[in-house]
Amino acid sequence: MSSEIAFPSPQHRRHGSSAGQPLTRRDGVLKVTGRATYAADNHPEGMLYAVTAVSSIARGRVTALDVEAAKAHPGVVEVLTPANRPPLSHDPDDKIPPFGFRVEVLQDDTVRYVNQPIALVIAETLEAATEGAALLNPQYEVESARTGLENGERFDTPAVGVGAPSRTAYGDIDAGLAAAVRVTEADYVTPPQYHNAMEPHAVVAQWDGDRVTLDMPNQALALSCAAYAAYFGIPAGNVLIRSPFLGGGFGSKAILNGPQILAILAARMLDRPVKLALTRAQMYGPVGHRGQTWQKLRLGTDGEGRLTALHHHVLAATSSFDEFMEPAANASLPLYASPAILAEHDGLRLDTGTPGPMRAPGEASGSAVLEVAMDEAAIACGMDPLEFRLANYAETEPGTGKPFSSKSLRECYAEGAKRFGWSGRPLEPRRMRDENGFLVGWGMGTAVFHCPHFPAEARATLRADGTALVETAGADMGQGAWTALAQIAAEALGLDPDQVELHSGISSLPDGGIAGGSGHTASAGLALHNAGVDAIARLAELATADPASPLFGAGNIGVEARSGRLHRRDDEGRSESYSEILARAGQAEVVGTAKAARDPAVAEAHALFSHGAVFAEVKVDPDLGQVRVTRLVGAFAAGRIINPRLVRSQYFGGMIWGISFALQEEAVTDRRTGRIMNADLAEYHVPVNADVPSLDAILIPEDDPYVNPLGVKGVGEIGITGTVGAIANAVWHATGVRVRHFPIRLEDLLVNQRDVTSAFGN
Amino acid sequence: MNRFDYIRPVSVPEAIAAAAVPGSAYLAAGTNLLDLMKVGASRPERVINITRLPGLDRIEWLPDGGVRVGTLVRNSDLAYDERFAKTFPVVAEALLSGASAQLRNAATVGGNLMQRTRCAYFHDLAGACNRREPGSGCDALGGENRLQAVLGWSEHCIATHPSDFCVPLAALDAIVEVEGPHGGREIALDTLHRLPGATPEQETALLPGELIVALRLPAEASSFSRNARYIKLRERTSYAFAVVSAAAALEVEGGTIRKARIALGGVAAKPWRAREAEALLEGKQATAQAFAEAAELALAEARPSGDNAFKIELAHRIVTRALSLALEGTPQAMPALPASPFPALSGANHVI
């Protein structure tokens, strides 16, 4: 399965170091020819289909299900309800650290949100299962839904996001505000959003005794194996997850969800393979989302436009039964120099599914608002927004004073501004029109994202034919991990990428860590690098100890691995190919293994972040309020770039999600019932190509000697940060209207008088 | 899912006979009906696939210069028919602003006319909807109604008709040819769709079993070909329904408006023809002031059905804009972004 990806393409032929080269995706041809096998494409013999019946109420109790009717439907094999659901070995109301959530697996008849599974129907066909689920005709005891500020339950929370502190204070915020010449204060709202990966969540579960094989898209293979093992009371090694391809994840496939657990349970109960694939509508509930936030920013500035205080207060929505919430205020911690910073969060319990990590969790919604607030403060100070940010440039991490492992934000600002043409920007809004009379606005925002590093393991096998097999259980969600990871491994092995076969996406391989948090390339990449180095070291031992080798005796001098040969470090002329070394040693292969993790001392001593600057141009119809983002220029510095083609694509993706956040995405919830009224891709808008006429991503060179031995930071999520604010600020600059909620809508920009004599009259 | 009979007739009379059974629905491309059947918002007992009916997929030019378009002509084929697009450019522009390229390649003329509302409550089986289930109530009232009707609604239903295509058709006096159990008849497109009143479930003027076989545009409608535009406001540049839209067509002579046609989309349960506004313009100088007065009159009866007062203002402005752009003249070529207020941008030189 995963070996299918290792075929060579002419573009991959290159000598010397392959890292840094813009290779195309190894899996590209498979995907565009339809030969990539996704989880739901699997049909093991004897497979049954499972369909969840979901609640249409947000809060209450299921009082009746017509199980008889469902079971009477031809083809229906079983109906799982709280009455007959087999036991699990782990209490679903107990979370499994470090990233576990409480899950709904029919533990009782309580309904806690709309689209919660209330039964699972298993049948011989998808049609029969679907019809069976429809026949259940649930009856409810309905309690009033808590859907917003007015009826949600507020609570103090010790943690936000994944274990981040809910309150961080540096300096004296009140003193900072008191010392300010100006205080800019405003309230902002970000909406609930749903991941909407192209590929719905799916699982095909097959049991063999107490071993289970799961074909499912998964961003965290090893952690998921351990968690499924806990729910089913088997050793983690008995769970095999195959996840060769993911049709997008955006964070929603790193967490275990109730529906999949139920399908696995059904497969064990019925002793037949079971497939479950959620419908698009069913993805609006049990598989996470980005929770709504209400944010207040208070920025104190002195007479020179320097921050004296930065206070970011977030009220973040979560479910009634779990705690994940957007760590949005923490976006204000690492970026701008201020003697006093206070980032704090409160929780608001609503009758929704539990939010989860989604496309820069916290950073996206927090950055969106922070960058708008910075724009407002710049205007209050009469300063250009870029000049204002430079005046508040943090040379060391604000609050902690730690040095950055590397920070090239100044270069990002300069290069981005230059490419965009920022210097001609008038300070006042509504000063620019295009040749057709449309209002033109320019805005900017700073992008920032932390650099997590997950422990990971890898294995590298040098083979007698001079090729290599490298293995790690990573996940390629479309970001190009297989290509970039192969490049890293090839470099460590001194081989061309074509000579390196990468196996990944299956949990039986060494733990590749999590594909999330923008940390996969660094985490799995370092493990592969180390495994490659280990394999080369073992090979070198063979050669330098062998009197017949030209490298004999070079043990202390050392060798270099290049183009499939080991070269004596002090004498280029003395070298030997890997094949020759192995042949003479009578070995079929040499295997290197490695574990890699972040050196805690590095994290202790440094602040670790990627940075960037995004510049946006929008055009706005002066009468109709219609907005188009006509140009986006982002400049990003994220350490060493393994594959500029893939990285640019990642930045593009992030910036497009920024357009989405700024102007389109919103789950519309009926305030009375908690039902989501646009739970499909026709009505829940994400951008189409025509919304994205011009994108430019500049890769700022950056050398980071500390972040990890590869010097690699993360690129997956930083693109959305900065972009949302840049677009909102550009809309203000075009129109003079400051919109403090997302998405910005047509009606928000209709406040100006009808202008019949505008460029559009005659 | 209801169990349903599936019938594929080979002649129009056979189709009509099959549809005489209550609970029948005609199926063409299925871009709307099948979605509705999947969610259960539509539950026909008998589905009659008309895609094999002969002779309904032709564009025929009539001796007087009008055109007769078979009900099975695909949206894309009609929009890209050179003569059609030249003669009725506002219709072609509206067609190309609708849905996505993939949907337009499948969807038929008759199907477009018969598409159902996008009201979320119509699709939400857990909620009340008089249109779907007469007498159950209207959950859109007092619900999430930002995009609902501002004209012609009643407390029984505030849904809108989503078609772009129908808006210029209403403006241009299009005629729908119908065959039914009692023979053929013609219906003015402007009266095909009904306002909800107390019976929102009666969405069209079609009688049980009646089948739209063709759409006709009269020769007179071609007199607007030089000054006609369709403008559509939406929150995504493609694959999005109109928040509001307007078709405007003018016959201008020496700065004086001889004839005017105005229709609005996204504001009511039917494409909204603004006849009084048209009458006001006729004989007047084509000025921004006159256009603003016409827009005022077109929206005179408008009232919000919820959190959507902005749509009235927006509709007013889009009528004015559509008239201004119509006066400027029909573009020589189809705009890169059909019906968009934005002209082409670099990198966007494609029909969306």
Side-chain angles (χ1 to χ4, degrees), chain B:
Chain B
M1 193 190 79
N2 265 5
R3 294 187 78 77
F4 59 86
D5 294 330
Y6 177 79
I7 297 167
R8 201 169 69 196
V10 294
S11 72
V12 170
E14 198 191 327
I16 291 164
V21 178
S24 297
Y26 289 118
L27 169 71
T31 55
N32 188 211
L33 178 65
L34 297 186
D35 280 351
L36 292 170
M37 288 172 69
K38 283 184 210 162
V39 299
S42 183
R43 304 172 76 87
E45 286 157 27
R46 172 176 266 219
V47 172
I48 301 158
N49 182 341
I50 60 165
T51 55
R52 305 296 172 97
L53 298 184
L56 300 183
D57 59 352
R58 289 202 288 266
I59 302 171
E60 300 165 78
W61 292 91
L62 306 173
D64 69 351
V67 70
R68 182 174 185 274
V69 182
T71 196
L72 292 178
V73 172
R74 309 283 171 183
N75 285 196
S76 296
D77 289 337
L78 184 59
Y80 287 118
D81 183 277
E82 208 168 314
R83 183 169 171 191
F84 183 84
K86 221 175 180 58
T87 315
F88 308 106
V90 62
V91 181
E93 186 169 22
L95 274 171
L96 291 181
S97 75
S100 65
Q102 293 85 345
L103 286 166
R104 293 193 298 268
N105 287 343
T108 63
V109 161
N112 190 309
L113 268 48
M114 294 303 291
Q115 68 183 299
R116 315 288 293 275
T117 182
R118 304 300 300 194
C119 174
Y121 296 90
F122 176 71
H123 293 80
D124 173 23
L125 297 196
C129 172
N130 287 322
R131 190 170 282 252
R132 192 183 67 240
E133 211 180 310
S136 62
C138 173
D139 272 353
L141 271 175
E144 297 303 310
N145 44 31
R146 172 175 173 265
L147 298 174
Q148 306 282 8
V150 292
L151 280 163
W153 55 271
S154 72
E155 71 263 32
H156 301 285
C157 180
I158 61 174
T160 63
H161 192 258
S163 171
D164 293 301
F165 182 40
C166 289
V167 179
L169 291 181
L172 296 180
D173 287 331
I175 302 286
V176 176
E177 293 182 15
V178 168
E179 292 288 339
H182 308 295
R185 65 181 182 124
E186 296 185 348
I187 304 172
L189 185 119
D190 189 33
T191 60
L192 175 67
H193 305 100
R194 300 169 53 127
L195 291 176
T199 54
E201 74 278 10
Q202 292 172 24
E203 296 176 21
T204 72
L206 293 184
L207 300 171
E210 281 190 324
L211 172 69
I212 294 174
V213 292
L215 170 77
R216 255 190 7 249
L217 276 161
E220 305 84 72
S222 65
S223 70
F224 299 103
S225 64
R226 277 176 300 163
N227 293 95
R229 285 304 299 274
Y230 180 70
I231 303 297
K232 172 179 179 180
L233 286 181
R234 52 182 148 181
E235 286 164 330
R236 159 161 84 181
T237 308
S238 174
Y239 190 38
F241 292 94
V243 175
V244 293
S245 69
L250 298 170
E251 237 187 272
V252 192
E253 209 173 271
T256 304
I257 300 168
R258 283 171 39 91
K259 281 199 236 164
R261 298 291 175 82
I262 303 167
L264 285 149
V267 293
K270 59 182 286 186
W272 191 266
R273 178 88 179 259
R275 291 176 195 277
E276 289 177 26
E278 294 170 2
L280 177 136
L281 286 177
E282 289 177 5
K284 279 218 169 124
Q285 288 293 301
T287 62
Q289 187 59 38
F291 292 161
E293 285 171 18
E296 198 72 48
L297 199 52
L299 277 306
E301 305 291 316
R303 61 198 170 97
S305 59
D307 298 329
N308 56 6
F310 79 95
K311 281 184 73 168
I312 300 171
E313 179 63 26
L314 211 48
H316 184 289
R317 294 180 186 204
I318 203 167
V319 167
T320 313
R321 175 67 61 82
L323 286 164
S324 305
L325 290 174
L327 180 66
E328 269 179 31
T330 307
Q332 288 300 308
M334 182 60 66
L337 301 173
S340 170
F342 289 95
L345 295 164
S346 63
N349 52 351
H350 56 286
V351 173
I352 47 176

Side-chain angles (χ1 to χ4, degrees), chain A residues 404-444:
Chain A
F404 290 101
S405 62
S406 62
K407 179 174 180 178
S408 311
L409 179 56
R410 230 184 269 285
E411 291 79 359
C412 295
Y413 285 141
E415 286 299 310
K418 193 167 125 197
R419 180 80 59 92
F420 183 83
W422 180 262
S423 63
R425 178 184 180 275
L427 270 187
E428 301 77 21
R430 291 184 79 91
R431 286 293 190 276
M432 300 196 296
R433 297 226 180 198
D434 73 0
E435 66 281 8
N436 296 302
F438 289 91
L439 296 165
V440 179
W442 290 353
M444 57 119 7

Side-chain angles (χ1 to χ4, degrees), chain A residues 222-266:
Chain A
L223 279 176
S224 299
C225 283
Y228 284 121
Y231 285 114
F232 292 101
I234 55 179
N238 285 15
V239 181
L240 178 69
I241 299 181
R242 299 187 293 204
S243 180
F245 300 98
L246 294 90
F250 310 127
S252 74
K253 291 168 182 168
I255 308 289
L256 267 64
N257 316 121
Q260 292 94 317
I261 294 173
L262 288 172
I264 300 166
L265 196 54

